[in-house]
Amino acid sequence: MVGRVEKTARLIWPVLSLALVLVVLAALLSLGPMPLQRTATEAFIRLIVVIGLYIFIGNSGILSFGHVSFMAIGAYGSALLTIPPNMKKIVLDLPPFLTALQLPTIPAALIAGTLSTVFAFVIGVPLMRLSGISAAMGTFASLAIVYVVISNWKEVTGGASALIGLPVYTDIWVALIYALLALGLAYAYQESRYGRRLRASRENEVAALATGINVRRERLIAFVFSAFIVGFGGVLHAHFIGVLSSSSFYLDVTFITLAMLVIGGMNSLAGAVTGTIVVSVLGELLRLIEAGFDIGTLHLAAPRGLREVGLSFLMLMILLFRPQGLTSGREIAWPLAPKAG
Amino acid sequence: MTFVLQNIVDAISLGALYALTALGIGLIFGIMRLINFAHGELIMLGAYALFFTFGMHEAIMGLVAMALVIVAAIVMERVAFRPLRRANPATLLIASFALAYFLQHLVLLIFGARPKSVTFLYELSEYFVVEGLRIPKLQVVTIAITIVLLVGLVVFFRRSSIGTQMRAAAEDFGMARLVGVRANSVIAIAFLLSGVLAGIISLLYVVQTGTLTPRMGVSLVLVAFVATVIGGMGSLVGAAVGGLVVGVLTVALQAVLTVELRPYRDAFVFAVLIGFLLVRPQGLLRGRSARERI
């Protein structure tokens, strides 16, 4: 009996401990002033995206530069389903039924997430045939295509001008709940047979193929699943900011989310969470320095760009001195018992 | 007829610019299997060097810019990429991504985000007019420089000892080291050459556009990626051919697409990239180093 309890505890501890950290962080930060809460909310949304990235990159070992496109599709999908019809009529040029359509937020979010998933499936079927650098280039090309389309498709996305009028409902608690869900789903996937097969192919593709694993199929499963999570991250982002512009779904977000994953350690869920927390805290500190502070009558402010310079410098240092990331790809182990044989 | 000829001239000169960029990236990829995102930032640094030295004699401006870019390329290799040489290509790719981001924002920190403008070699933006055809002198110069550099590189790779060593390293790095090719010098020289190429592109690009932003290298380098994939990753001639093909493709799409579709031009270019990855992943010209090793 005790053995079984301990076994269960050991199994769920890696994800439970991360969830506890997030809940405690959210509880503490929700007591803070509004700007701090907003920063925390943004960090939780980023975390969802990073967890989504981890599901694919971490388990498959294949770099994807394309996941931000799922974020974009989730965000614009949900926007089209929730913006009030009279507003849509002014700024967009949609088919009548879509103009008239206004869904409650949760069904809209689910549909938008599904839309990202379907898109991921469509591009994943061909792209998952690729490995290594080709896969990275292919996913990047898909991001570039989505970006070009979103920036120019005036009728549907508003094109170069920002899309406004989205209901704003993402606060720190909403973001936390979805982040916890993403965390649980990612862990469940990683411990499932699918996750383990994919991890086997990450360690040695040829050996995995030889043991009968359909690597391409396993990759596709992870790709599509991760697209759903990332798409949801996009939805929450859209309803956090309330304004969408295509430029917020391109290289910058790609860089920052990949940085989070790599800094934390891309081979573990603990790494995804650690990286997101470390980069968010550091980014916020640098932002505060950028905004400046007063010493007596003296106002000191660092020039714009310091945050990005600091972050990319940190990322380079970590790559040079700790190429496996802060967690070295390990999960958090159950602390109480000696290691099982 | 003039319309067609005009487009052909445009296509070749744009293709030449892309080919030079792709060559710089292909050179490093062949030897290190590194796709150097930061190559675009070398180009950007050169342009800002021109801005910084603006007002001096133009020869000095050009020399300073070239020198800075070459030094930056060598420092980049020594500081960021040499420690990572044994890392897998994905880590290298992320490192170059981080480096590119770092350099962009460092320049943004120093010079600000607002575009700067520089006039450099203004004479080159004048036109030759031949039978109704307007040929900017710059295009002629770009094409000439590209041909000279290509021939120079081919001679270098075929005739010189270090060039032969570089080809050997590109083919099988481990084997080349076993027979006495010095990894450090081969890679350093590859970066030096890519610095030379990047520097020349800075000069040509500034003459052409006259404006600089911290982000100016990004779009060029993205196009060059497409070019290296289409031409064949790991093949130098392939990179040059790929650059030319992308230039021609871009101009052709611009000419052929309807007005509504024209804004989506780059999406078509990237779709061609995906098509190549799927149907002909080895590219137009297969580099020997491009095969997947087990």
Side-chain angles (χ1 to χ4, degrees):
Chain A
M1 186 59 202
V2 173
R4 200 192 299 159
V5 170
E6 200 196 311
K7 207 175 153 195
T8 317
R10 192 174 290 156
L11 179 68
I12 62 168
W13 179 249
V15 65
L16 193 66
S17 54
L18 294 173
L20 285 174
V21 170
L22 294 183
V23 171
V24 169
L25 275 177
L28 287 176
L29 290 166
S30 69
L31 300 173
M34 205 52 211
L36 190 64
Q37 283 192 35
R38 284 186 66 81
T39 308
T41 312
E42 200 185 355
F44 280 124
I45 297 170
R46 286 270 163 78
L47 177 63
I48 297 169
V49 176
V50 176
I51 289 174
L53 273 178
Y54 161 75
I55 290 174
F56 180 69
I57 298 178
N59 291 309
S60 74
I62 292 175
L63 215 52
S64 165
F65 284 98
H67 272 65
V68 169
S69 64
F70 309 140
M71 211 182 149
I73 290 172
Y76 276 95
S78 181
L80 290 182
L81 295 170
T82 56
I83 294 178
N86 48 10
M87 183 106 61
K88 273 194 260 189
K89 213 175 293 169
I90 302 168
V91 286
L92 304 175
D93 188 11
L94 299 165
F97 80 95
L98 205 54
T99 309
L101 194 63
Q102 190 184 14
L103 294 177
T105 50
I106 291 183
L110 284 171
I111 294 176
T114 310
L115 211 61
S116 311
T117 316
V118 171
F119 176 72
F121 182 77
V122 171
I123 64 164
V125 169
L127 285 182
M128 289 305 109
R129 288 167 49 194
L130 306 170
S131 285
I133 286 181
S134 308
M137 301 288 284
T139 50
F140 177 76
S142 69
L143 171 69
I145 291 174
V146 169
Y147 171 72
V148 171
V149 170
I150 286 182
S151 316
N152 291 295
W153 202 3
K154 287 196 197 65
E155 295 81 8
V156 174
T157 63
S161 51
L163 191 56
I164 53 167
L166 287 80
V168 174
Y169 63 78
T170 312
D171 61 13
I172 188 166
W173 299 112
V174 172
L176 173 72
I177 287 168
Y178 282 105
L180 292 176
L181 274 175
L183 198 67
L185 285 172
Y187 190 68
Y189 169 76
Q190 136 185 356
E191 295 301 315
S192 74
R193 67 181 78 170
Y194 306 102
R196 283 170 187 252
R197 284 192 204 126
L198 188 58
R199 291 167 90 82
S201 80
R202 177 189 79 194
E203 296 306 322
N204 191 332
E205 189 176 338
V206 177
L209 283 166
T211 52
I213 294 174
N214 186 343
V215 174
R216 204 190 290 175
R217 197 187 69 188
E218 298 302 335
R219 281 180 187 163
L220 184 61
I221 293 171
F223 193 67
V224 169
F225 181 42
S226 68
F228 183 73
I229 305 274
V230 173
F232 239 94
V235 171
L236 292 175
H237 173 81
H239 295 284
F240 169 63
I241 307 281
V243 180
L244 290 181
S245 67
S246 58
S247 60
S248 53
F249 299 100
Y250 200 37
L251 294 175
D252 283 350
V253 197
T254 305
F255 174 75
I256 201 91
T257 48
L258 276 176
M260 286 169 167
L261 187 59
V262 171
I263 286 175
M266 66 177 179
N267 288 350
S268 73
L269 193 55
V273 176
T274 311
T276 310
I277 294 174
V278 168
V279 172
S280 298
V281 169
L282 207 90
E284 182 62 12
L285 288 177
L286 289 167
R287 201 188 58 77
L288 287 178
I289 298 174
E290 244 180 48
F293 44 87
D294 296 304
I295 302 174
T297 54
L298 199 66
H299 183 74
L300 290 175
R304 250 196 73 210
L306 183 74
R307 187 157 89 117
E308 288 81 1
V309 169
L311 280 181
S312 42
F313 185 73
L314 174 83
M315 187 165 166
L316 272 175
M317 288 301 112
I318 287 179
L319 283 171
L320 291 182
F321 295 108
R322 217 177 152 88
Q324 295 293 310
L326 295 172
T327 59
S328 297
R330 283 192 299 265
E331 299 292 0
I332 300 169
W334 176 243
L336 297 183
K339 272 185 190 146
Chain B
M1 191 58 201
T2 319
F3 174 75
V4 174
L5 279 178
Q6 184 76 59
N7 272 315
I8 290 174
V9 173
D10 287 349
I12 292 175
S13 74
L14 188 65
L17 197 63
Y18 290 165
L20 286 180
T21 319
L23 263 179
I25 286 168
L27 201 66
I28 306 295
F29 181 85
I31 293 177
M32 277 188 86
R33 318 261 307 139
L34 157 70
I35 297 189
N36 192 6
F37 264 107
H39 192 74
E41 277 55 49
L42 291 176
I43 297 170
M44 181 268 292
L45 284 178
Y48 273 86
L50 290 178
F51 173 73
F52 194 69
T53 54
F54 184 59
M56 297 183 194
H57 191 278
E58 284 186 334
I60 297 177
M61 284 169 69
L63 281 176
V64 169
M66 286 295 294
L68 178 81
V69 175
I70 293 169
V71 169
I74 292 170
V75 170
M76 195 184 263
E77 189 272 325
R78 186 67 194 83
V79 176
F81 295 131
R82 190 174 291 185
L84 284 174
R85 205 174 286 164
R86 285 166 193 282
N88 65 29
T91 312
L92 273 170
L93 194 60
I94 300 244
S96 76
F97 206 49
L99 192 61
Y101 207 73
F102 175 75
L103 290 173
Q104 271 172 33
H105 287 91
L106 195 66
V107 168
L108 191 142
L109 201 71
I110 299 168
F111 292 98
R114 222 175 308 149
K116 307 275 184 225
S117 60
V118 173
T119 24
F120 179 64
L121 296 179
Y122 185 73
E123 314 79 81
L124 286 181
S125 44
E126 289 159 11
Y127 293 91
F128 295 118
V129 180
V130 188
E131 314 245 344
L133 206 61
R134 301 203 313 161
I135 306 173
K137 287 182 180 169
L138 177 64
Q139 293 193 344
V140 178
V141 171
T142 305
I143 295 168
I145 288 180
T146 308
I147 292 170
V148 168
L149 280 174
L150 270 178
V151 171
L153 277 174
V154 167
V155 171
F156 171 78
F157 281 117
R158 297 281 154 192
R159 295 275 174 244
S160 74
S161 161
I162 189 83
T164 314
Q165 290 179 36
M166 284 175 77
R167 280 192 297 136
E171 218 156 283
D172 188 335
F173 199 75
M175 187 63 199
R177 291 188 73 176
L178 282 179
V179 297
V181 170
R182 292 172 59 174
N184 283 350
S185 51
V186 166
I187 291 178
I189 288 173
F191 269 89
L192 185 144
L193 287 177
S194 87
V196 172
L197 290 167
I200 288 171
I201 297 162
S202 309
L203 305 187
L204 293 172
Y205 198 79
V206 170
V207 177
Q208 192 186 6
T209 65
T211 43
L212 6 154
T213 65
R215 288 259 159 129
M216 59 185 287
V218 177
S219 55
L220 256 183
V221 113
L222 292 184
V223 174
F225 288 161
V226 181
T228 42
V229 173
I230 290 180
M233 285 194 262
S235 153
L236 280 181
V237 183
V241 172
L244 208 57
V245 169
V246 175
V248 172
L249 185 70
T250 312
V251 174
L253 282 171
Q254 188 74 26
V256 170
L257 289 179
T258 58
V259 179
E260 301 88 72
L261 281 177
R262 212 168 279 164
Y264 300 99
R265 188 193 68 199
D266 291 352
F268 286 98
V269 175
F270 281 105
V272 170
L273 167 74
I274 293 183
F276 260 92
L277 283 172
L278 295 173
V279 180
R280 205 180 156 80
Q282 71 273 36
L284 291 170
L285 296 161
R286 180 176 196 149
R288 285 208 192 96
S289 64
R291 67 166 184 268
E292 292 282 336
R293 295 194 187 105
I294 292 170

